[in-house]
Amino acid sequence: MEDVVDVSLSTITDFPDDCLVFIFKRLSCESDRRAFGLTCRKWLEIQNQNCHSLQFDCSSTNFMFPLSGTFHKIDTHELHRILTRFPNLKSLSLSGCTELPDSGLKPLQNYGYTLRALHLDCCFKITDNGLSFLATGCPSLTFISLYRCNVTDTGLETLANGCFGLEAANLSYCSFITDHGIRSLVENCSKLTAIRISHCEQITGVGFQHCSENLAYVEAESCKLKPEGISAIVNGVRLKYLNISSLRWTVCGDGLSVIGGGLGTRLRVLNTRLCQTIRDESVEAIAKGCPSLVEWNLAMCHEVRVGGWESIALNCHNLEKLHVNRCRNLCDRGLQALENGCKKLSTLYMNGCPRVSGFAVDLFRLARGDVIVGEENMELPSDFRAIMYPSC
């Protein structure tokens, strides 16, 4: 008779950890990941160790705990408990935690070492003290969003000195930040690639002098940038995207010629929407000095006249998208110039231009049938969107 081989029975809980991690990482459905952790204590631990992102749903006073589906009131103790449970987080969103105090961020001093992205949008009680905890506990931080937070230059300087690996920062509506804070950030964070300072009324732009040579994306909508501030921003030799729409100042001349002063050669997307003082002189300088422009938004720039449109047609050889919505001084002659030039133009956003006749539009369509004439729609470049909106 053949020898009987005694095979010991094993269960699924006997799987080695590396096999369980392999399985967990290939579960793309959130419900499957939750079910994984409900199997047993060992599998729950595997789940906790490999959870790299966490997002709180704080549209009111509650947040959603993503693995259990239950709701909790956010406070310092609760956040501490979550951080101890998930020790390897790389991305954390606390956006909307309007009642979270500075002390709520203190656990990050002990558990923030692996954190790379932190969202604090609308955390109104977070101040400079809270940023000091990040500076000492999150040395690996590469992205931070402080949208509408009550932080000042002091906090920004502290953050920059501790998190010098920052690559992107959203400071929109941080009304207490000035050029001094911006200077601290751009001088200490040599890897800084993207920054949003929209609606920061105390920033004139001069703080961008000696900025990181990696700076490629700047959003400064509704700011009071001075000509010398714009010049400092454009000095970034790798600048590819610049949004200065709704520029909020009035000086003699529009002061935007500096964009085309020879340093914007890599600029690909320029948004000057609602810069109502921009004139033909600046348009011509930009058209000549920014040969890499692929998209240019001139919507509601009413002072651009025939000379401006002709300079765009003559010099913007790589332009693919042009926004001219509600430009009062775009006329048939200007449209004809665009028709004859800008050979790579594929999309013209044009509506509400009272001096452009239907006949001129029909002629444009006949001559450039490949060009789409449509409603205004300006999307962020995909690479900029990936930097400024990291998934959580």
Side-chain angles (χ1 to χ4, degrees):
M1 295 180 62
E2 296 181 359
D3 295 336
V4 178
V5 178
D6 184 19
V7 179
S8 300
L9 295 178
S10 60
T11 67
I12 197 168
T13 58
D14 295 321
F15 276 22
D17 288 355
D18 56 348
C19 289
L20 294 176
V21 172
F22 181 86
I23 295 171
F24 179 77
K25 287 184 176 180
R26 279 154 182 77
L27 297 177
S28 57
C29 178
E30 187 61 36
S31 60
D32 289 343
R33 289 184 168 230
R34 293 175 183 173
F36 183 98
L38 296 175
T39 303
C40 65
R41 185 177 297 275
K42 180 179 179 180
W43 284 37
L44 179 62
E45 182 64 22
I46 293 293
Q47 180 192 52
N48 293 343
Q49 293 291 328
N50 289 275
C51 179
H52 294 152
S53 65
L54 193 63
Q55 181 172 358
F56 294 85
D57 181 10
C58 299
S59 56
S60 56
T61 58
N62 298 324
F63 72 84
M64 183 175 66
F65 185 46
L67 300 178
S68 66
T70 59
F71 289 86
H72 306 265
K73 184 177 180 180
I74 182 65
D75 55 27
T76 304
H77 172 75
E78 188 70 21
L79 182 57
H80 180 272
R81 186 179 69 85
I82 296 299
L83 291 173
T84 56
R85 175 176 172 181
F86 304 107
N88 296 315
L89 286 177
K90 294 182 179 179
S91 180
L92 174 64
S93 177
L94 298 170
S95 296
C97 295
T98 58
E99 298 300 316
L100 184 68
D102 287 327
S103 59
L105 299 181
K106 192 171 184 179
L108 291 174
Q109 288 185 309
N110 298 320
Y111 302 102
Y113 186 79
T114 61
L115 203 62
R116 294 178 59 82
L118 180 62
H119 303 252
L120 295 172
D121 300 353
C122 298
C123 292
F124 303 131
K125 292 190 175 182
I126 298 300
T127 67
D128 297 344
N129 291 332
L131 295 189
S132 66
F133 297 136
L134 305 183
T136 56
C138 305
S140 302
L141 205 63
T142 60
F143 171 85
I144 188 164
S145 182
L146 296 169
Y147 173 83
R148 290 189 182 275
C149 287
N150 293 310
V151 297
T152 71
D153 292 340
T154 301
L156 201 58
E157 184 175 2
T158 301
L159 182 69
N161 288 329
C163 303
F164 46 82
L166 277 176
E167 298 174 6
N170 182 0
L171 307 176
S172 298
Y173 287 94
C174 291
S175 56
F176 301 120
I177 291 177
T178 71
D179 291 300
H180 179 76
I182 294 298
R183 183 177 293 108
S184 298
L185 189 66
V186 299
E187 289 183 353
N188 287 287
C189 302
S190 59
K191 296 182 179 179
L192 191 69
T193 302
I195 187 170
R196 301 184 75 172
I197 55 171
S198 298
H199 299 274
C200 293
E201 297 185 356
Q202 296 193 62
I203 296 177
T204 67
V206 296
F208 283 94
Q209 292 176 354
H210 311 298
C211 66
S212 162
E213 65 175 15
N214 293 309
L215 190 64
Y217 308 92
V218 176
E219 268 210 351
E221 179 182 352
S222 297
C223 287
K224 295 181 178 179
L225 301 179
K226 294 181 178 179
E228 55 268 33
I230 296 175
S231 178
I233 293 173
V234 180
N235 272 331
V237 294
R238 297 189 181 181
L239 190 68
K240 296 193 296 183
Y241 172 89
L242 177 61
N243 179 358
I244 53 171
S245 59
S246 304
L247 194 63
R248 300 179 62 185
W249 49 260
T250 302
V251 294
C252 182
D254 58 62
L256 298 182
S257 297
V258 294
I259 298 176
L263 296 172
T265 56
R266 296 193 182 187
L267 193 62
R268 292 176 55 82
V269 179
L270 176 61
N271 189 345
T272 54
R273 184 179 187 272
L274 259 175
C275 292
Q276 298 186 19
T277 61
I278 189 171
R279 296 178 173 84
D280 290 351
E281 178 185 354
S282 290
V283 170
E284 182 177 355
I286 294 171
K288 290 181 178 179
C290 303
S292 301
L293 272 183
V294 173
E295 183 172 5
W296 191 354
N297 193 333
L298 283 163
M300 289 182 279
C301 294
H302 302 309
E303 297 303 315
V304 182
R305 302 174 187 272
V306 172
W309 305 120
E310 289 180 341
S311 64
I312 292 174
L314 183 64
N315 297 289
C316 294
H317 303 297
N318 292 302
L319 196 64
E320 298 176 4
K321 296 181 180 180
L322 179 63
H323 303 246
V324 298
N325 304 279
R326 286 165 280 178
C327 287
R328 295 172 187 164
N329 284 305
L330 174 63
C331 60
D332 290 359
R333 183 178 164 188
L335 184 61
Q336 184 179 11
L338 295 174
E339 172 190 320
N340 295 330
C342 299
K343 298 303 182 182
K344 291 188 178 182
L345 190 68
S346 60
T347 305
L348 179 66
Y349 296 110
M350 182 178 66
N351 64 76
C353 299
R355 297 187 61 192
V356 176
S357 67
F359 179 69
V361 174
D362 290 340
L363 288 179
F364 183 89
R365 291 181 184 274
L366 286 173
R368 299 290 300 272
D370 57 325
V371 176
I372 300 172
V373 181
E375 297 289 331
E376 184 176 6
N377 178 29
M378 189 165 190
E379 297 181 352
L380 294 176
S382 57
D383 46 356
F384 176 56
R385 193 185 310 115
I387 294 172
M388 293 305 298
Y389 298 96
S391 60
C392 184

